[in-house]
Amino acid sequence: MPTPMPLPTRPTGAPERGGRLVILGVAASDSHAVANHLIAHALRADGFTVVNLGTCTPVDEFADACERHPQAEAVLIGSLNGQIHEDLHGLAEAKRSGRIHCPVVVGGNLSVGSVKDESSVTRLYDLGVDRVLASAADLVPTLDALHAPTASDRVPAAAAR
């Protein structure tokens, strides 16, 4: 009988995320599920609420999830097959229309072939992606940076009274 894999727990001293919610999925043409589930478990262990749409998720499903969860702070899209550019066709329109209202973060294998160049990353930004991660270890720090209030978010003390 196989030994069940223990679920990750929030590391001692890790910050409480206060119900922060992210929408997670794998690009439309991609059925690789393992990394998706590992990322979902890690984020939940780190205090995030994760709406995991699973594999083969088209842009419209991410947009529908954003409409169901207006409190979502980010859409996280993984790719392993390298076809993400074609899979994100329609992302710019979904963001322009407001159906996807939060930053879109992508990671994984982002192009086909063993030779990677910067143009594939540039093309993702042109499609409407807000952040491209080189490592899964960068995910939580990136979410924290996106979540941090900016100077324009701060209410002047006089206006807050």
Side-chain angles (χ1 to χ4, degrees), residues 17-24 47-52 62-76 98-103 143 146-147:
R17 303 291 176 190
R20 292 170 56 191
L21 186 144
V22 294
I23 297 169
L24 172 68
F48 286 89
T49 299
V50 178
V51 175
N52 190 353
F62 286 109
D64 291 346
C66 282
E67 290 175 343
R68 286 191 309 274
H69 303 281
Q71 74 277 31
E73 68 178 64
V75 169
L76 314 174
R99 293 192 68 219
I100 294 180
H101 62 276
C102 53
L143 291 172
L146 290 170
H147 189 69

Side-chain angles (χ1 to χ4, degrees), residues 38-129:
L38 293 173
I39 290 169
H41 282 295
L43 287 170
R44 288 179 179 127
D46 217 350
F48 286 89
T49 299
V50 178
V51 175
N52 190 353
L53 303 176
T55 63
C56 301
T57 307
V59 168
D60 278 346
E61 285 188 32
F62 286 109
D64 291 346
C66 282
E67 290 175 343
R68 286 191 309 274
H69 303 281
Q71 74 277 31
E73 68 178 64
V75 169
L76 314 174
I77 304 174
S79 173
L80 195 58
N81 69 6
Q83 301 292 330
I84 195 166
H85 296 89
E86 292 78 14
D87 294 337
L88 294 183
H89 182 77
L91 176 62
E93 177 54 34
K95 290 183 80 176
R96 239 186 329 272
S97 70
R99 293 192 68 219
I100 294 180
H101 62 276
C102 53
V104 174
V105 178
V106 301
N109 179 26
L110 303 176
S111 63
V112 176
S114 59
V115 177
K116 307 297 180 189
D117 65 55
E118 193 61 31
S119 69
S120 69
V121 172
T122 301
R123 288 175 43 219
L124 289 169
Y125 288 123
D126 292 345
L127 289 170
V129 171

